[in-house]
Amino acid sequence: MNIWLRFGLIVMTFGLSSVTPVKAQFSGGPYGPISKSYAQPNAKTIYYVSPEGQPRADGLTLDNPTSLSSAISKVTSGDAIVLRGGTYRTGNLILNQGITLQPYKDEKPILKGTQVASTWEQKQDNVWVTNWKTLFPSKPMFWWRQERHIDKTPLHRFNNDMVFIDGEFLQSAGSIEELTPNTFFVDYEKQQVYIGTDPNSKLIEITAYDTALLRTSNDVHNKRSDKIGPKIYGVTFTQYAWRAIGIEGKRTFLPEDEPVDEPVGVADPLTYGKEVINTLLENVTITYCSRVAGYFRGDGLIIRHSLISDTSTEGIYIIGSSDVLLEKNIIQRNDIENITGYYVSAVKIINQTYRVTVRDNLIINHPTSKGVWYDVGNREGLFIDNYVENTQAGLSFEISDGITAVGNVFVNNDLSVWVLNSANANIAHNTFVNSTLRFTRTARSATDDHFGWHPETGPDVFERDGHTVKSNLLTADEQHHGPLLSVDQEDALCAQYKKAQLAELDGNAYVKPENQQPLITLSTSSSEPCNREINTLDKLQDSTAQYETNGQLINGHPRTVFVSPDLKRFELQRHISKKVNLVLPEKVTNAFENIGALPSASDNQSR
């Protein structure tokens, strides 16, 4: 099926057909959790809980709340738990029923995976110690290459314990001698935690739980799974060692297991993602988890209007799932421990997902991490109307086949979009500011690969082509280094690969200072050398006539075309008409009267 037609059908599935043309770019908000007062849920049975709730209370009335753990053990499919405001220091809650969790009216329930450490002994100058039994030692995954990364990432970084002083996160140290006011050290043999700050008159919190809520597929609380995911509204999860939320598939994973391994090898999507379906998170906040905010498995997942922040590796981790929607979230500041060689990303979409839509989100402040990464055998991805800033690569698409990226704004990323060893990526009507657009292919295959079966799930070495790049606006100022567009491959492939990576490159506009080089790095089957620099569109058109016959080069600065890039106003000062037509869904086509993602100021005034 034509990729743009498929895009249109999926858009209607998620309700984009109701979006007016003017809204067919990132909306400008609101993003993240929205404060609201929740009505009583429509549920079979409602259990009321509070931080002071008694486990023996039945929880059936507001004035007789039970504990959260007690309510979790009682609920059955279709029930609801209403949480009073306050801090719940709890975790390792397990359920297997499709239920609702929400606040009472506008109250603010906060689940914390820490306990307060109040008993400290000073051992020497600037060193204090406490005994602590709930510790979470761990180690790197088997594929982490210690010989490459040990100098930057000591092994203690892989332990999952966390310490907070007055809410401030501390980094780990490798010994008492390394302690500073901003670090902690754990002696696992003696079960002791050391800090370098006087704890008097301070709130010291140390992790006591490694998970807030696990939705298991196994039998639990004398009930079988109903295969329906939870619906969670308006709850904050914070300070958990490992993850806040886990949604299981067919098996249970432990912290040291490779979370990607379900399914293993090439698989039919009808055989996975069905154990827990239709999980929903809305107006949820997840912060400060020592690995990820959550591992999510199961078709029909929706995460919207949520804040995912300050995690140590990934934020949202989606595995082997189809028909997923991420919408209007703020996803920021992952990789807070700066663990090198772990291939981290704010959102990881991995292992043969189908139709995962990432729409109208803020993905910001990930300078040592990718933004959204589709990796290992994904199909029919949609990345539309997002704002992405300060990442290593805003959107990565690797070992996968078929993605549409439309209407996004990428600002100050090392790479805006990086398509690596993949096929059929369609990049149209995006705005790029100091963010290189890159397509790469290598000889990586399933033969002797470091990650085993992963390459088998995507296009083989000589199937990595079919990309289109149309009607984008690529801009750079004097601070940007490198090309605006790079289409590159390993030298050995130039003589072997007879088909160019890009099937179409046309109708794009390039804005850069006149003396800044190069404009484009390009590799085609006839390139000599294999990857060559092109400085003008004339040279590009002369050498490969099928490229950019309708392209535009504007010598200048982002201020030349945008209303005010200094204020992050990326509407166009003037109309820059598109010169190629795209077979986009009608609602989206009508919205794009200009090059790039956003309208011109004159277009807005005319409306």
Side-chain angles (χ1 to χ4, degrees), residues 3 35 76 110 148 175 217 238 249 257 273 283 289 381 402 432 546 604:
I3 184 70
S35 295
T76 60
I110 301 171
R148 294 184 182 180
S175 66
S217 300
T238 189
D257 293 333
N283 296 326
C289 296
F432 303 104
Q546 74 272 28
N604 283 334

Side-chain angles (χ1 to χ4, degrees), residues 113-314:
T114 53
Q115 296 288 357
V116 175
S118 55
T119 303
W120 293 88
E121 176 187 354
Q122 186 169 8
K123 299 296 290 184
Q124 59 191 65
D125 289 345
N126 299 319
V127 175
W128 289 262
V129 63
T130 190
N131 296 315
W132 202 258
K133 294 188 179 299
T134 53
L135 298 174
F136 302 94
S138 192
K139 61 183 180 181
M141 290 293 175
F142 68 91
W143 43 259
W144 186 69
R145 293 183 169 175
Q146 180 170 328
E147 71 281 5
R148 294 184 182 180
H149 301 288
I150 192 65
D151 290 343
K152 293 182 178 179
T153 305
L155 290 176
H156 60 79
R157 281 282 189 270
F158 294 98
N159 297 318
N160 288 341
D161 309 274
M162 304 177 85
V163 177
F164 300 84
I165 298 182
D166 289 337
E168 294 294 320
F169 165 75
L170 304 187
Q171 294 284 3
S172 63
S175 66
I176 294 174
E177 290 70 29
E178 292 180 11
L179 279 176
T180 71
N182 300 314
T183 62
F184 70 97
F185 167 68
V186 178
D187 185 327
Y188 289 98
E189 185 176 337
K190 295 181 179 179
Q191 294 187 310
Q192 293 180 325
V193 177
Y194 294 79
I195 58 175
T197 296
D198 187 345
N200 288 323
S201 302
K202 291 181 171 60
L203 175 65
I204 315 295
E205 299 167 292
I206 304 176
T207 42
Y209 303 96
D210 68 0
T211 300
L213 181 66
L214 174 64
R215 202 306 181 182
T216 183
S217 300
N218 298 322
D219 292 357
V220 67
H221 306 308
N222 297 315
K223 293 183 281 283
R224 287 193 172 182
S225 171
D226 65 359
K227 297 193 173 184
I228 301 172
K231 293 177 172 56
I232 306 175
Y233 303 92
V235 178
T236 292
F237 302 86
T238 189
Q239 299 180 353
Y240 283 90
W242 188 25
R243 62 188 179 183
I245 296 174
I247 308 295
E248 285 187 347
K250 295 179 179 180
R251 52 169 288 201
T252 297
F253 287 81
L254 300 176
E256 294 179 7
D257 293 333
E258 171 51 71
V260 174
D261 286 349
E262 186 183 332
V264 174
V266 178
D268 185 331
L270 295 176
T271 65
Y272 58 88
K274 310 297 185 284
E275 287 69 36
V276 179
I277 63 171
N278 298 334
T279 296
L280 170 66
L281 276 63
E282 185 171 292
N283 296 326
V284 168
T285 296
I286 305 178
T287 63
Y288 291 108
C289 296
S290 66
R291 282 299 164 262
V292 305
Y295 291 109
F296 298 94
R297 299 173 179 85
D299 298 350
L301 167 71
I302 297 176
I303 302 177
R304 66 159 62 99
H305 277 298
S306 293
L307 170 64
I308 310 298
S309 181
D310 297 284
T311 54
S312 288
T313 53
E314 282 73 24

Side-chain angles (χ1 to χ4, degrees), residues 3 20 55 59 69 126 136 177 211 218 226 335 357 369 399-400 402 410 412 464 492 499 527 538 597-598:
I3 184 70
T20 58
S69 59
N126 299 319
F136 302 94
E177 290 70 29
T211 300
N218 298 322
D226 65 359
D335 195 28
T357 296
S369 162
I399 318 176
S400 296
F410 298 90
N412 296 334
R464 296 166 181 171
K499 197 172 184 180
S527 291
D538 291 340
L598 299 177

